[in-house]
Amino acid sequence: MTEVQKQLICETLMFHADRPDGDRPSIVRLGVDRASAAQVMEKASGANSEFQLNEIHVLFAALVSAPVMMPSEEVFYERIGFFREQALALAGGLVSAVEEAPNWTGESSGSA
């Protein structure tokens, strides 16, 4: 991932982390509790860009759910610093990368 992609991912994960509604809504939106999402965000901001499939799901879910939760493009841009289309394009890119990964075994915990 590029630094810009990492920044976009981290901003959408931070948006979710800043929500006051607790772990249950986080699990519905991202598939993990807030502590697990924070671990994925920490990993995404680091130098290692190798993720397990369940972590990629968290990244994907953050990218696609954040635009839905904000009422306008302007609000999204002001909060995240990117356009909605960029978040959705990166989410699609994650899916494509998983599909194209030569070492993917099909297991939910495998690396991509």
Side-chain angles (χ1 to χ4, degrees):
M1 285 191 292
T2 69
E3 289 302 316
V4 172
Q5 291 170 327
K6 289 179 183 183
Q7 183 181 0
L8 174 52
I9 286 170
C10 288
E11 289 297 328
T12 58
L13 284 166
M14 185 59 68
F15 166 75
H16 288 286
D18 287 346
R19 300 202 45 86
D21 49 10
D23 279 335
R24 289 191 318 182
S26 176
I27 292 168
V28 171
R29 286 190 301 266
L30 303 177
V32 296
D33 61 23
R34 293 164 65 134
S36 298
Q39 290 173 345
V40 173
M41 184 172 63
E42 187 175 313
K43 189 173 184 179
S45 65
N48 180 7
S49 292
E50 187 172 314
F51 296 93
Q52 300 294 317
L53 284 176
N54 59 328
E55 294 169 328
I56 294 171
H57 170 74
V58 173
L59 302 178
F60 176 85
L63 289 165
V64 298
S65 62
V68 172
M69 296 173 67
M70 292 185 223
S72 70
E73 179 70 48
E74 182 179 356
V75 170
F76 185 86
Y77 186 83
E78 287 174 359
R79 172 57 181 87
I80 304 299
F82 293 88
F83 293 107
R84 289 176 175 186
E85 300 85 45
Q86 292 168 307
L88 297 174
L90 183 52
L94 290 173
V95 173
S96 295
V98 168
E99 290 174 340
E100 296 170 6
N103 61 345
W104 184 62
T105 63
E107 297 174 18
S108 63
S109 62
S111 293

XYZ file of all heavy atoms in Angstrom:
848
model
N 0.827 -1.188 0.000
C 0.000 0.000 0.000
C 0.870 1.249 0.000
O 1.926 1.263 0.621
C -0.891 0.029 1.244
C -2.047 -0.919 1.201
S -3.217 -0.631 2.528
C -2.255 -1.125 3.943
N 0.370 2.264 -0.648
C 1.070 3.545 -0.640
C 0.784 4.273 0.669
O -0.149 3.918 1.403
C 0.617 4.426 -1.819
O -0.738 4.830 -1.595
C 0.751 3.703 -3.156
N 1.549 5.297 0.938
C 1.330 6.086 2.156
C -0.042 6.760 2.127
O -0.709 6.863 3.152
C 2.444 7.122 2.337
C 3.779 6.503 2.723
C 3.715 5.675 4.005
O 3.100 6.124 4.997
O 4.275 4.567 4.011
N -0.469 7.213 0.965
C -1.780 7.854 0.838
C -2.893 6.842 1.120
O -3.875 7.152 1.806
C -1.939 8.504 -0.556
C -3.355 9.000 -0.781
C -0.941 9.629 -0.727
N -2.757 5.639 0.602
C -3.748 4.597 0.875
C -3.798 4.266 2.359
O -4.875 4.107 2.929
C -3.442 3.344 0.057
C -3.669 3.525 -1.421
C -3.127 2.369 -2.237
O -2.123 1.743 -1.889
N -3.782 2.093 -3.362
N -2.635 4.169 2.983
C -2.589 3.917 4.426
C -3.292 5.028 5.193
O -4.023 4.779 6.148
C -1.143 3.797 4.909
C -0.439 2.543 4.473
C 0.990 2.552 4.992
C 1.773 1.363 4.546
N 3.122 1.364 5.124
N -3.057 6.262 4.768
C -3.680 7.394 5.440
C -5.200 7.334 5.312
O -5.919 7.557 6.291
C -3.160 8.704 4.849
C -3.700 9.937 5.541
C -3.186 11.222 4.909
O -2.426 11.214 3.955
N -3.614 12.335 5.451
N -5.700 7.023 4.133
C -7.140 6.909 3.917
C -7.727 5.814 4.800
O -8.762 6.007 5.453
C -7.440 6.653 2.439
C -8.887 6.362 2.044
C -9.852 7.408 2.566
C -8.989 6.235 0.534
N -7.082 4.675 4.830
C -7.549 3.566 5.667
C -7.546 3.971 7.134
O -8.531 3.747 7.855
C -6.692 2.308 5.439
C -7.041 1.681 4.080
C -6.874 1.299 6.564
C -6.103 0.593 3.635
N -6.476 4.573 7.581
C -6.384 4.971 8.994
C -7.428 6.016 9.351
O -8.004 5.977 10.440
C -4.980 5.439 9.330
S -3.800 4.070 9.376
N -7.704 6.939 8.447
C -8.723 7.957 8.715
C -10.114 7.335 8.834
O -10.899 7.730 9.698
C -8.717 9.044 7.639
C -7.520 9.956 7.699
C -7.432 10.771 8.984
O -8.483 11.126 9.569
O -6.297 11.066 9.410
N -10.424 6.370 7.971
C -11.745 5.739 8.081
C -11.831 4.889 9.346
O -12.869 4.880 10.014
C -12.099 4.893 6.845
O -11.121 3.882 6.634
C -12.233 5.760 5.601
N -10.757 4.216 9.706
C -10.760 3.447 10.955
C -10.847 4.374 12.163
O -11.540 4.063 13.144
C -9.522 2.558 11.043
C -9.551 1.309 10.175
C -8.169 0.684 10.075
C -10.561 0.308 10.702
N -10.193 5.522 12.101
C -10.273 6.488 13.196
C -11.689 7.039 13.322
O -12.185 7.253 14.432
C -9.270 7.625 12.990
C -9.211 8.597 14.152
S -8.768 7.840 15.729
C -7.084 7.393 15.406
N -12.339 7.264 12.205
C -13.733 7.701 12.236
C -14.574 6.711 13.036
O -15.371 7.095 13.884
C -14.286 7.850 10.811
C -15.778 7.970 10.759
C -16.394 9.151 11.138
C -16.555 6.896 10.352
C -17.781 9.259 11.103
C -17.938 6.996 10.313
C -18.562 8.184 10.685
N -14.368 5.435 12.774
C -15.116 4.412 13.512
C -14.701 4.373 14.980
O -15.540 4.201 15.863
C -14.929 3.040 12.858
C -15.650 2.915 11.560
N -17.010 2.779 11.468
C -15.197 2.913 10.287
C -17.372 2.703 10.206
N -16.278 2.786 9.470
N -13.430 4.534 15.256
C -12.941 4.498 16.636
C -13.482 5.665 17.451
O -13.695 5.531 18.662
C -11.412 4.517 16.653
N -13.712 6.805 16.812
C -14.186 7.997 17.509
C -15.681 7.964 17.819
O -16.175 8.816 18.537
C -13.883 9.255 16.676
C -12.407 9.609 16.672
O -11.656 9.066 17.510
O -12.006 10.420 15.818
N -16.382 6.999 17.299
C -17.822 6.923 17.536
C -18.078 6.502 18.984
O -17.414 5.622 19.502
C -18.458 5.949 16.558
C -18.198 6.426 15.126
C -19.138 5.915 14.111
N -20.520 5.950 14.474
C -21.331 7.003 14.317
N -20.857 8.122 13.850
N -22.601 6.921 14.629
N -19.051 7.106 19.637
C -19.307 6.828 21.056
C -20.208 5.622 21.308
O -20.575 5.372 22.450
C -19.996 8.112 21.520
C -20.750 8.570 20.315
C -19.864 8.209 19.133
N -20.519 4.852 20.291
C -21.557 3.832 20.442
C -21.072 2.454 20.871
O -21.854 1.530 20.980
C -22.401 3.729 19.176
C -21.586 3.612 17.906
O -20.358 3.418 17.993
O -22.173 3.706 16.829
N -19.803 2.260 21.111
C -19.322 1.019 21.705
C -19.004 -0.110 20.744
O -18.945 0.064 19.532
N -18.814 -1.290 21.347
C -18.332 -2.453 20.594
C -19.389 -3.120 19.721
O -19.068 -3.582 18.626
C -17.746 -3.490 21.551
C -16.319 -3.148 21.952
O -15.631 -2.448 21.197
O -15.906 -3.601 23.029
N -20.614 -3.214 20.192
C -21.615 -3.933 19.384
C -21.824 -3.300 18.009
O -21.772 -4.013 16.999
C -22.928 -4.086 20.142
C -22.789 -5.085 21.269
C -24.067 -5.499 21.901
N -24.990 -4.393 22.126
C -26.160 -4.526 22.704
N -26.572 -5.694 23.110
N -26.940 -3.490 22.882
N -22.017 -1.991 17.909
C -22.117 -1.399 16.569
C -20.824 -1.554 15.758
O -20.870 -1.718 14.544
C -22.431 0.076 16.847
C -23.103 0.054 18.175
C -22.387 -1.026 18.950
N -19.682 -1.509 16.433
C -18.412 -1.722 15.731
C -18.362 -3.115 15.130
O -17.917 -3.289 13.995
C -17.232 -1.520 16.692
O -16.024 -1.810 16.036
N -18.825 -4.098 15.871
C -18.830 -5.476 15.367
C -19.746 -5.591 14.159
O -19.419 -6.255 13.175
C -19.213 -6.462 16.485
C -18.095 -6.499 17.536
C -19.485 -7.855 15.918
C -18.465 -7.205 18.820
N -20.881 -4.904 14.189
C -21.792 -4.932 13.041
C -21.158 -4.244 11.838
O -21.187 -4.772 10.733
C -23.144 -4.270 13.395
C -24.008 -4.092 12.156
C -23.868 -5.092 14.446
N -20.549 -3.071 12.048
C -19.976 -2.313 10.937
C -18.686 -2.914 10.406
O -18.454 -2.947 9.200
C -19.708 -0.861 11.371
C -20.946 -0.017 11.486
C -20.592 1.446 11.671
N -19.789 1.688 12.858
C -20.275 2.034 14.052
N -21.570 2.153 14.221
N -19.469 2.252 15.063
N -17.797 -3.344 11.303
C -16.448 -3.745 10.891
C -16.173 -5.240 11.030
O -15.167 -5.726 10.529
C -15.403 -2.985 11.712
C -15.469 -1.468 11.655
C -14.422 -0.854 12.569
C -15.332 -0.963 10.239
N -17.009 -5.928 11.775
C -16.785 -7.352 11.995
C -15.911 -7.643 13.198
O -15.660 -8.809 13.503
N -15.448 -6.603 13.890
C -14.594 -6.762 15.068
C -14.922 -5.682 16.094
O -15.491 -4.644 15.750
C -13.087 -6.691 14.728
C -12.659 -7.841 13.827
C -12.729 -5.355 14.112
N -14.505 -5.930 17.337
C -14.682 -4.909 18.362
C -13.683 -3.777 18.154
O -12.791 -3.855 17.300
C -14.578 -5.510 19.766
C -13.221 -6.144 20.050
O -12.217 -5.774 19.403
O -13.158 -7.013 20.930
N -13.826 -2.735 18.944
C -13.002 -1.537 18.754
C -11.522 -1.806 19.025
O -10.653 -1.244 18.352
C -13.538 -0.421 19.626
C -14.917 0.018 19.156
C -15.616 0.827 20.190
N -14.907 2.078 20.406
C -15.481 3.254 20.474
N -16.774 3.349 20.360
N -14.769 4.332 20.680
N -11.219 -2.637 20.003
C -9.815 -2.943 20.302
C -9.163 -3.664 19.126
O -8.023 -3.354 18.744
C -9.706 -3.775 21.576
N -9.871 -4.604 18.531
C -9.340 -5.319 17.363
C -9.185 -4.386 16.176
O -8.203 -4.468 15.431
C -10.249 -6.492 16.999
O -10.305 -7.421 18.050
N -10.139 -3.482 15.988
C -10.042 -2.506 14.904
C -8.830 -1.603 15.113
O -8.133 -1.259 14.154
C -11.321 -1.683 14.808
N -8.556 -1.242 16.362
C -7.385 -0.409 16.656
C -6.094 -1.142 16.322
O -5.136 -0.530 15.820
C -7.398 0.006 18.128
N -6.045 -2.440 16.560
C -4.864 -3.225 16.211
C -4.660 -3.254 14.701
O -3.527 -3.155 14.221
C -4.989 -4.646 16.756
C -4.894 -4.725 18.257
C -5.195 -6.125 18.783
O -5.740 -6.973 18.087
N -4.837 -6.358 20.040
N -5.750 -3.393 13.959
C -5.653 -3.393 12.495
C -5.194 -2.019 12.015
O -4.361 -1.907 11.108
C -6.987 -3.796 11.840
C -6.934 -3.643 10.328
C -7.352 -5.233 12.213
N -5.708 -0.949 12.635
C -5.291 0.399 12.257
C -3.803 0.605 12.527
O -3.091 1.170 11.698
C -6.099 1.453 13.014
C -5.761 2.867 12.581
S -6.824 4.137 13.278
C -6.462 3.973 15.015
N -3.337 0.120 13.652
C -1.912 0.229 13.973
C -1.071 -0.506 12.936
O -0.047 -0.012 12.473
C -1.658 -0.330 15.369
C -0.251 -0.118 15.867
C -0.082 -0.570 17.306
O -0.920 -0.231 18.148
O 0.908 -1.284 17.569
N -1.526 -1.686 12.552
C -0.815 -2.467 11.546
C -0.829 -1.752 10.195
O 0.179 -1.710 9.495
C -1.453 -3.852 11.434
C -0.691 -4.824 10.580
C -1.312 -6.201 10.670
C -0.527 -7.223 9.904
N -1.108 -8.574 10.007
N -1.977 -1.165 9.845
C -2.104 -0.470 8.559
C -1.211 0.759 8.490
O -0.738 1.123 7.411
C -3.554 -0.071 8.319
N -0.965 1.379 9.605
C -0.130 2.572 9.600
C 1.366 2.246 9.615
O 2.192 3.115 9.387
C -0.470 3.472 10.789
O -0.146 2.833 12.006
N 1.701 0.988 9.837
C 3.101 0.581 9.911
C 3.694 0.216 8.559
O 3.068 0.369 7.507
N 4.900 -0.292 8.605
C 5.627 -0.645 7.384
C 5.188 -1.981 6.795
O 5.309 -2.212 5.596
C 7.129 -0.680 7.668
N 4.664 -2.884 7.634
C 4.247 -4.211 7.170
C 2.860 -4.121 6.554
O 1.900 -3.780 7.230
C 4.246 -5.204 8.340
C 3.813 -6.588 7.910
O 3.622 -6.869 6.728
N 3.638 -7.468 8.871
N 2.740 -4.420 5.278
C 1.446 -4.365 4.600
C 0.884 -5.748 4.317
O 0.106 -5.937 3.394
C 1.576 -3.579 3.291
O 1.829 -2.234 3.565
N 1.288 -6.739 5.091
C 0.744 -8.082 4.918
C -0.344 -8.292 5.962
O -0.120 -8.141 7.153
C 1.840 -9.129 5.086
C 1.341 -10.530 4.748
C 2.459 -11.540 4.717
O 3.504 -11.251 4.123
O 2.259 -12.614 5.298
N -1.542 -8.619 5.476
C -2.701 -8.752 6.343
C -3.331 -10.127 6.206
O -3.298 -10.729 5.132
C -3.760 -7.707 5.980
C -3.317 -6.293 6.210
C -2.729 -5.555 5.189
C -3.478 -5.695 7.440
C -2.317 -4.255 5.388
C -3.069 -4.391 7.662
C -2.486 -3.672 6.630
N -3.928 -10.579 7.277
C -4.773 -11.769 7.241
C -6.096 -11.373 6.580
O -6.470 -10.193 6.557
C -5.023 -12.291 8.664
C -3.772 -12.677 9.419
C -3.075 -13.873 8.794
O -3.716 -14.845 8.413
N -1.763 -13.781 8.665
N -6.826 -12.342 6.054
C -8.087 -12.032 5.380
C -9.082 -11.346 6.319
O -9.799 -10.440 5.893
C -8.705 -13.299 4.785
C -8.046 -13.790 3.500
C -8.675 -15.096 3.043
C -8.135 -12.750 2.411
N -9.126 -11.764 7.571
C -10.060 -11.122 8.499
C -9.675 -9.656 8.724
O -10.542 -8.805 8.920
C -10.152 -11.886 9.815
C -8.831 -11.999 10.531
O -7.766 -12.059 9.909
N -8.883 -12.051 11.846
N -8.396 -9.330 8.655
C -7.956 -7.941 8.781
C -8.313 -7.143 7.518
O -8.702 -5.977 7.596
C -6.450 -7.881 9.026
C -6.032 -8.467 10.352
C -4.535 -8.643 10.493
O -3.840 -8.896 9.476
O -4.055 -8.532 11.640
N -8.193 -7.775 6.370
C -8.574 -7.122 5.119
C -10.065 -6.817 5.139
O -10.505 -5.765 4.672
C -8.174 -7.967 3.899
C -6.647 -8.048 3.811
C -8.751 -7.383 2.607
C -6.128 -9.015 2.777
N -10.838 -7.723 5.725
C -12.273 -7.457 5.854
C -12.518 -6.194 6.687
O -13.382 -5.378 6.352
C -13.011 -8.639 6.487
C -14.414 -8.279 6.845
N -15.400 -8.139 5.909
C -14.966 -7.982 8.041
C -16.519 -7.774 6.506
N -16.282 -7.672 7.808
N -11.776 -6.015 7.759
C -11.920 -4.819 8.597
C -11.601 -3.572 7.772
O -12.334 -2.576 7.827
C -11.027 -4.907 9.853
C -11.055 -3.603 10.637
C -11.452 -6.072 10.736
N -10.511 -3.613 6.998
C -10.149 -2.481 6.150
C -11.260 -2.186 5.145
O -11.683 -1.038 4.978
C -8.839 -2.762 5.405
C -7.611 -3.073 6.246
C -6.418 -3.377 5.345
C -7.296 -1.969 7.220
N -11.730 -3.225 4.481
C -12.797 -3.092 3.488
C -14.053 -2.512 4.139
O -14.647 -1.555 3.622
C -13.092 -4.463 2.862
C -14.246 -4.445 1.901
C -14.038 -4.082 0.579
C -15.517 -4.788 2.309
C -15.098 -4.053 -0.323
C -16.582 -4.761 1.420
C -16.371 -4.391 0.107
N -14.452 -3.069 5.260
C -15.675 -2.622 5.929
C -15.578 -1.168 6.372
O -16.547 -0.409 6.263
C -15.976 -3.536 7.115
N -14.416 -0.758 6.868
C -14.236 0.637 7.272
C -14.366 1.566 6.070
O -15.009 2.615 6.148
C -12.883 0.816 7.953
N -13.754 1.159 4.963
C -13.786 1.997 3.762
C -15.175 2.121 3.157
O -15.546 3.179 2.660
C -12.818 1.441 2.709
C -11.337 1.609 3.022
C -10.496 0.707 2.126
C -10.912 3.065 2.898
N -15.964 1.053 3.172
C -17.293 1.123 2.551
C -18.362 1.640 3.496
O -19.362 2.204 3.043
C -17.727 -0.221 1.918
C -16.781 -0.633 0.814
C -17.885 -1.308 2.937
N -18.186 1.477 4.794
C -19.229 1.931 5.718
C -19.106 3.407 6.074
O -20.117 4.072 6.310
C -19.249 1.077 6.986
O -18.024 1.181 7.679
N -17.904 3.945 6.099
C -17.742 5.357 6.458
C -18.505 6.286 5.500
O -19.195 7.198 5.969
C -16.261 5.726 6.528
N -18.443 6.085 4.186
C -19.217 6.973 3.299
C -20.721 6.880 3.525
O -21.430 7.882 3.385
C -18.867 6.478 1.885
C -17.555 5.797 2.023
C -17.576 5.195 3.402
N -21.208 5.722 3.895
C -22.637 5.536 4.137
C -23.085 6.279 5.391
O -24.208 6.762 5.472
C -22.951 4.021 4.260
C -24.374 3.782 4.700
C -22.654 3.317 2.952
N -22.184 6.386 6.350
C -22.541 6.966 7.639
C -22.478 8.491 7.659
O -22.946 9.106 8.614
C -21.621 6.396 8.717
C -21.796 4.904 8.898
S -20.586 4.206 10.005
C -21.063 4.969 11.541
N -21.913 9.098 6.638
C -21.808 10.558 6.596
C -22.799 11.104 5.574
O -22.898 10.579 4.465
C -20.381 10.971 6.277
C -19.452 10.616 7.422
S -17.809 11.217 7.158
C -16.878 9.782 7.699
N -23.522 12.149 5.947
C -24.652 12.596 5.134
C -24.297 13.232 3.789
O -25.151 13.325 2.923
C -25.351 13.618 6.034
C -24.291 14.097 6.967
C -23.373 12.919 7.163
N -23.067 13.663 3.613
C -22.731 14.324 2.347
C -21.264 14.128 2.011
O -20.448 13.791 2.872
C -23.031 15.825 2.428
O -22.104 16.469 3.294
N -20.963 14.387 0.752
C -19.567 14.334 0.289
C -18.735 15.352 1.047
O -17.600 15.077 1.428
C -19.508 14.616 -1.215
C -18.118 14.614 -1.796
C -17.494 13.233 -1.851
O -18.162 12.304 -2.326
O -16.336 13.087 -1.429
N -19.308 16.522 1.285
C -18.579 17.579 1.987
C -18.209 17.155 3.410
O -17.065 17.337 3.842
C -19.418 18.852 2.028
C -18.718 20.009 2.694
C -19.562 21.272 2.693
O -20.664 21.292 2.112
O -19.106 22.258 3.291
N -19.155 16.567 4.119
C -18.893 16.102 5.483
C -17.827 15.008 5.459
O -16.919 14.995 6.287
C -20.191 15.607 6.157
C -19.904 14.900 7.468
C -21.144 16.767 6.381
N -17.949 14.091 4.510
C -16.963 13.022 4.391
C -15.574 13.608 4.158
O -14.615 13.239 4.831
C -17.338 12.058 3.254
C -16.433 10.862 3.159
C -16.675 9.743 3.922
C -15.329 10.865 2.313
C -15.831 8.634 3.848
C -14.488 9.765 2.226
C -14.745 8.650 3.006
N -15.462 14.524 3.213
C -14.165 15.120 2.890
C -13.585 15.885 4.080
O -12.392 15.767 4.379
C -14.267 16.030 1.660
C -12.924 16.540 1.232
C -12.112 15.755 0.426
C -12.453 17.768 1.654
C -10.852 16.196 0.039
C -11.194 18.220 1.275
C -10.401 17.424 0.464
O -9.156 17.858 0.103
N -14.423 16.643 4.758
C -13.949 17.414 5.913
C -13.447 16.494 7.029
O -12.460 16.797 7.689
C -15.049 18.320 6.441
C -15.323 19.499 5.540
C -16.508 20.322 5.984
O -17.155 19.984 7.004
O -16.813 21.317 5.296
N -14.121 15.379 7.248
C -13.759 14.478 8.342
C -12.610 13.553 7.977
O -11.696 13.315 8.752
C -14.980 13.645 8.775
C -14.713 12.544 9.777
C -14.076 13.095 11.055
N -13.782 12.071 12.010
C -12.651 11.354 12.035
N -11.722 11.525 11.129
N -12.464 10.452 12.971
N -12.624 13.012 6.766
C -11.653 11.992 6.356
C -10.474 12.598 5.591
O -9.350 12.104 5.677
C -12.348 10.900 5.505
C -13.521 10.268 6.268
C -11.354 9.829 5.065
C -13.161 9.565 7.553
N -10.725 13.666 4.827
C -9.656 14.285 4.049
C -9.498 13.697 2.659
O -8.521 13.970 1.962
N -10.438 12.881 2.276
C -10.459 12.243 0.958
C -11.892 12.263 0.452
O -12.824 12.511 1.211
C -9.990 10.781 1.047
C -8.545 10.620 1.412
C -8.154 10.571 2.747
C -7.575 10.524 0.430
C -6.822 10.423 3.098
C -6.234 10.375 0.775
C -5.863 10.327 2.102
N -12.064 11.965 -0.826
C -13.404 11.869 -1.394
C -13.942 10.451 -1.211
O -13.184 9.481 -1.125
C -13.387 12.230 -2.886
C -13.048 13.670 -3.129
C -11.812 14.015 -3.642
C -13.962 14.672 -2.838
C -11.479 15.348 -3.869
C -13.646 16.001 -3.044
C -12.401 16.340 -3.571
N -15.256 10.340 -1.186
C -15.900 9.025 -1.046
C -15.440 8.060 -2.129
O -15.219 6.887 -1.867
C -17.419 9.171 -1.128
C -18.049 9.819 0.052
C -19.528 9.989 -0.192
N -20.167 10.509 1.001
C -21.455 10.661 1.128
N -22.262 10.354 0.132
N -21.953 11.131 2.237
N -15.333 8.572 -3.363
C -14.941 7.707 -4.479
C -13.583 7.068 -4.233
O -13.341 5.935 -4.650
C -14.894 8.487 -5.796
C -16.190 9.125 -6.214
C -16.409 10.497 -5.570
O -15.474 11.320 -5.529
O -17.528 10.721 -5.091
N -12.692 7.801 -3.576
C -11.369 7.263 -3.285
C -11.464 6.116 -2.281
O -10.775 5.109 -2.428
C -10.456 8.370 -2.759
C -10.125 9.400 -3.818
C -9.480 10.630 -3.228
O -10.004 11.248 -2.308
N -8.320 10.988 -3.772
N -12.311 6.266 -1.277
C -12.489 5.198 -0.293
C -13.085 3.961 -0.947
O -12.621 2.832 -0.727
C -13.380 5.679 0.860
N -14.094 4.165 -1.781
C -14.739 3.025 -2.434
C -13.818 2.359 -3.452
O -13.809 1.130 -3.580
C -16.052 3.469 -3.073
C -17.096 3.987 -2.068
C -18.313 4.544 -2.795
C -17.488 2.918 -1.068
N -13.019 3.156 -4.147
C -12.061 2.589 -5.104
C -11.002 1.764 -4.376
O -10.622 0.680 -4.844
C -11.409 3.692 -5.928
N -10.525 2.251 -3.240
C -9.537 1.492 -2.473
C -10.151 0.200 -1.941
O -9.502 -0.852 -1.955
C -8.973 2.338 -1.333
C -7.884 1.698 -0.481
C -6.738 1.128 -1.317
C -7.355 2.711 0.540
N -11.403 0.255 -1.504
C -12.085 -0.963 -1.058
C -12.151 -1.987 -2.195
O -11.868 -3.168 -2.001
C -13.490 -0.633 -0.546
N -12.501 -1.528 -3.389
C -12.517 -2.419 -4.547
C -11.141 -2.959 -4.870
O -10.995 -4.121 -5.248
N -10.125 -2.128 -4.686
C -8.751 -2.569 -4.906
C -8.325 -3.656 -3.935
O -7.567 -4.564 -4.302
N -8.807 -3.568 -2.699
C -8.494 -4.627 -1.735
C -9.072 -5.963 -2.184
O -8.403 -6.998 -2.107
C -9.051 -4.268 -0.345
C -8.369 -3.136 0.390
C -9.144 -2.801 1.662
C -6.932 -3.487 0.722
N -10.308 -5.931 -2.661
C -10.937 -7.165 -3.143
C -10.163 -7.715 -4.333
O -9.877 -8.921 -4.403
C -12.421 -6.929 -3.499
C -13.029 -8.166 -4.150
C -13.212 -6.538 -2.255
N -9.795 -6.851 -5.256
C -9.019 -7.290 -6.428
C -7.678 -7.878 -6.027
O -7.242 -8.895 -6.581
C -8.786 -6.116 -7.382
O -10.007 -5.671 -7.913
N -7.025 -7.252 -5.053
C -5.725 -7.761 -4.601
C -5.860 -9.150 -3.996
O -5.005 -10.015 -4.229
C -5.113 -6.802 -3.581
N -6.921 -9.381 -3.255
C -7.142 -10.713 -2.669
C -7.408 -11.731 -3.773
O -6.880 -12.840 -3.751
C -8.301 -10.682 -1.644
C -8.727 -12.082 -1.252
C -7.887 -9.889 -0.412
N -8.211 -11.346 -4.742
C -8.511 -12.254 -5.860
C -7.261 -12.630 -6.635
O -7.134 -13.758 -7.111
C -9.520 -11.613 -6.814
C -10.905 -11.490 -6.250
C -11.851 -10.720 -7.163
O -11.374 -9.964 -8.040
O -13.059 -10.880 -6.990
N -6.334 -11.695 -6.761
C -5.136 -11.907 -7.563
C -3.963 -12.477 -6.776
O -2.949 -12.841 -7.367
C -4.720 -10.591 -8.205
C -5.743 -10.060 -9.187
C -5.450 -8.649 -9.647
O -4.381 -8.108 -9.300
O -6.303 -8.081 -10.347
N -4.087 -12.561 -5.467
C -2.968 -13.028 -4.635
C -2.662 -14.488 -4.958
O -3.516 -15.353 -4.808
C -3.298 -12.868 -3.155
N -1.441 -14.778 -5.404
C -1.103 -16.143 -5.817
C -1.004 -17.123 -4.658
O -1.201 -18.307 -4.846
C 0.267 -15.979 -6.490
C 0.833 -14.743 -5.887
C -0.341 -13.857 -5.575
N -0.742 -16.653 -3.458
C -0.553 -17.570 -2.338
C -1.777 -17.692 -1.457
O -1.713 -18.268 -0.383
C 0.656 -17.134 -1.497
C 0.480 -15.757 -0.903
O -0.395 -14.996 -1.320
N 1.310 -15.422 0.051
N -2.921 -17.179 -1.885
C -4.118 -17.251 -1.071
C -4.653 -18.672 -1.094
O -4.818 -19.288 -2.144
C -5.161 -16.267 -1.569
C -6.365 -16.244 -0.697
C -6.417 -15.886 0.612
C -7.692 -16.612 -1.059
N -7.691 -15.995 1.089
C -8.500 -16.447 0.074
C -8.275 -17.072 -2.224
C -9.865 -16.708 0.077
C -9.628 -17.324 -2.213
C -10.409 -17.141 -1.077
N -4.945 -19.190 0.080
C -5.382 -20.585 0.189
C -6.895 -20.731 0.255
O -7.398 -21.836 0.197
C -4.793 -21.220 1.456
O -5.306 -20.531 2.597
C -3.283 -21.168 1.438
N -7.611 -19.631 0.413
C -9.058 -19.707 0.530
C -9.536 -19.806 1.964
O -10.716 -19.803 2.227
N -8.624 -19.893 2.913
C -9.010 -19.965 4.315
C -9.234 -18.563 4.850
O -8.574 -17.624 4.450
C -7.897 -20.641 5.126
C -7.649 -22.075 4.707
C -6.459 -22.676 5.429
O -6.039 -22.134 6.459
O -5.939 -23.684 4.940
N -10.172 -18.430 5.778
C -10.525 -17.102 6.283
C -9.395 -16.451 7.052
O -9.349 -15.253 7.215
C -11.767 -17.186 7.161
O -11.509 -17.993 8.299
N -8.440 -17.216 7.544
C -7.348 -16.618 8.308
C -6.056 -16.524 7.504
O -5.033 -16.143 8.035
C -7.092 -17.439 9.572
O -6.705 -18.754 9.217
N -6.096 -16.862 6.227
C -4.887 -16.838 5.407
C -4.405 -15.430 5.135
O -5.125 -14.463 5.287
N -3.164 -15.304 4.733
C -2.584 -13.993 4.397
C -2.863 -13.669 2.958
O -3.013 -14.538 2.114
C -1.062 -14.025 4.602
O -0.754 -14.156 5.945
N -2.930 -12.380 2.681
C -3.100 -11.931 1.306
C -2.130 -10.804 1.052
O -1.665 -10.156 1.901
C -4.528 -11.448 1.078
